Amino acid sequence: MILGAAARVRRIFSSAGLFPASRLPRPVVSIGNLVMGGAGKTPHVIHLARWLAGQGRRVGILSRGYGRKTRGVRWVSDGEGPIATAAEAGDEPVLIARSLPGIPVAVGESRAAAGREVLSRRRVDVFLLDDGFQHLSLRRDADLLLVECGRGLGNRWTAPLGPLREPPSHARFADALVVTKCPDVESGARTARTVPIPSDRPRAFSRLSPGGIVGRDGLPSKDVPAGSAVFAFSGLARNAQFRDTLEAAGFRVKGFLPFPDHHAYGRGDLARIAREAGGLPAITTEKDLVRLPGDLPFSVGALRVEVEYLEGWDGISRMILSRLEGGSPS
């Protein structure tokens, strides 16, 4: 309840121009959510960055760097791949950097400062703000709100009584809604009807489609084809979803070890994984893969997942392009 009240005050002050906020000299598109964790922001940031790059736009990505052990502005990638570890920059920014060669990625408590640092060294046409819905100290030109299909807005209470970072009514501040992890359009539409976003805003429905296994270098691996028996582990907000995704991709999961979200793997964890795997190929998520130390007592791969839009992408993409070209900034 305290968190909800604080969020209301921040939004009121921001709307009234009383909350100090910076603007970068380039458009900013934010990807965020109301619910704590698990909406699939990272793959959606990667998807959007690839699409914008395909449109000929030079993209830069800004993130807080959740879970990092450093402070201040930190380069994650100068466009030539990761130059920071997960401990230095956070696991999600490192995964984004590894997935997007040629695109600069920076983290900082102040995303405005991180953006200015990127512009001091790289030419950028548009910034993507990872997990930015609550980061009101940087003005944005488009706000994409992600809501997980199966979870929706939970019990609709803010923490600690529920899973929300802000009250449900704050969905009205979003410029578009993406319902993620949808088994089908109908399920996504039912969830969308529970989110109080204005009816004239575009909405889309997406899912995460499993690809193949990649190695620690991020390149596809043929060592563990679909149909193989594997041992799996992950440190996610909802680990069971990863196991389900592996099985849906055709892998036979013979054992599974869950860890807390953003877990820092210690030697004891690694020994336990090796012991319980019993010689089976060990498979994890790409986010977990970047948190593992260099020397492991087992071989490991990660299941790559990619965003697939079931419906509504045309409306989302048109809105983004309109904002980038100066139409109705928020």
Side-chain angles (χ1 to χ4, degrees), residues 1-329:
M1 299 176 73
I2 295 175
L3 182 61
R8 287 190 181 93
V9 170
R10 292 179 72 242
R11 288 286 183 181
I12 291 170
F13 279 25
S14 178
S15 298
L18 301 176
F19 189 90
S22 301
R23 180 176 287 281
L24 290 170
R26 301 291 184 275
V28 175
V29 178
S30 167
I31 300 92
N33 61 359
L34 288 174
V35 178
M36 296 181 182
K41 292 185 298 296
T42 297
H44 281 78
V45 169
I46 293 169
H47 177 276
L48 189 54
R50 286 174 174 158
W51 171 70
L52 286 167
Q55 298 284 317
R57 312 260 179 174
R58 293 169 297 203
V59 181
I61 296 176
L62 308 174
S63 180
R64 171 189 170 192
Y66 181 83
R68 65 187 176 124
K69 297 180 179 179
T70 60
R71 294 190 61 80
V73 174
R74 185 94 183 192
W75 282 86
V76 188
S77 171
D78 57 5
E80 303 301 326
I83 56 176
T85 66
E88 295 167 335
D91 51 9
E92 289 162 345
V94 172
L95 171 56
I96 290 170
R98 194 178 76 166
S99 302
L100 298 171
I103 291 180
V105 182
V107 298
E109 293 84 3
S110 166
R111 266 62 109 208
R116 289 190 290 267
E117 170 64 18
V118 170
L119 288 172
S120 73
R121 291 171 48 185
R122 294 295 303 267
R123 297 177 67 186
V124 169
D125 298 320
V126 54
F127 282 107
L128 297 184
L129 183 60
D130 173 39
D131 195 11
F133 197 65
Q134 288 76 36
H135 191 67
L136 303 183
S137 59
L138 176 62
R139 298 193 182 278
R140 66 290 309 276
D141 298 87
D143 253 310
L144 271 61
L145 178 65
L146 274 54
V147 175
E148 184 185 346
C149 182
R151 195 180 186 195
L153 300 181
N155 65 3
R156 307 180 78 85
W157 286 89
T158 54
L161 300 180
L164 298 185
R165 300 174 175 184
E166 299 184 71
S169 62
H170 287 193
R172 71 184 186 275
F173 295 110
D175 297 299
L177 171 68
V178 180
V179 183
T180 67
K181 302 182 182 180
C182 298
D184 49 58
V185 172
E186 292 74 19
S187 300
R190 283 195 296 271
T191 298
R193 288 193 288 270
T194 70
V195 181
I197 186 171
S199 59
D200 61 342
R201 311 283 165 83
R203 58 198 67 204
F205 311 106
S206 70
R207 65 184 175 194
L208 298 180
S209 297
I213 300 297
V214 297
R216 303 197 70 179
D217 56 3
L219 299 176
S221 170
K222 297 181 179 179
D223 294 340
V224 190
S228 300
V230 300
F231 178 85
F233 67 97
S234 63
L236 303 173
R238 282 179 291 287
N239 288 299
Q241 287 186 346
F242 174 58
R243 179 171 187 161
D244 293 344
T245 301
L246 267 178
E247 292 176 340
F251 294 95
R252 293 179 290 127
V253 181
K254 296 298 185 179
F256 185 77
L257 193 56
F259 292 93
D261 197 14
H262 299 282
H263 183 66
Y265 292 94
R267 291 296 166 188
D269 299 322
L270 303 178
R272 183 182 176 190
I273 293 169
R275 182 174 63 253
E276 295 195 17
L280 288 173
I283 303 297
T284 189
T285 72
E286 287 194 276
K287 191 171 84 166
D288 287 280
L289 194 63
V290 302
R291 290 202 305 274
L292 296 174
D295 53 329
L296 296 174
F298 53 87
S299 60
V300 65
L303 180 70
R304 174 156 288 169
V305 294
E306 296 183 346
V307 171
E308 177 186 357
Y309 277 87
L310 304 177
E311 186 175 286
W313 169 248
D314 287 347
I316 298 284
S317 59
R318 282 197 301 270
M319 182 276 292
I320 292 172
L321 290 177
S322 172
R323 298 302 177 89
L324 297 186
E325 292 163 4
S328 302

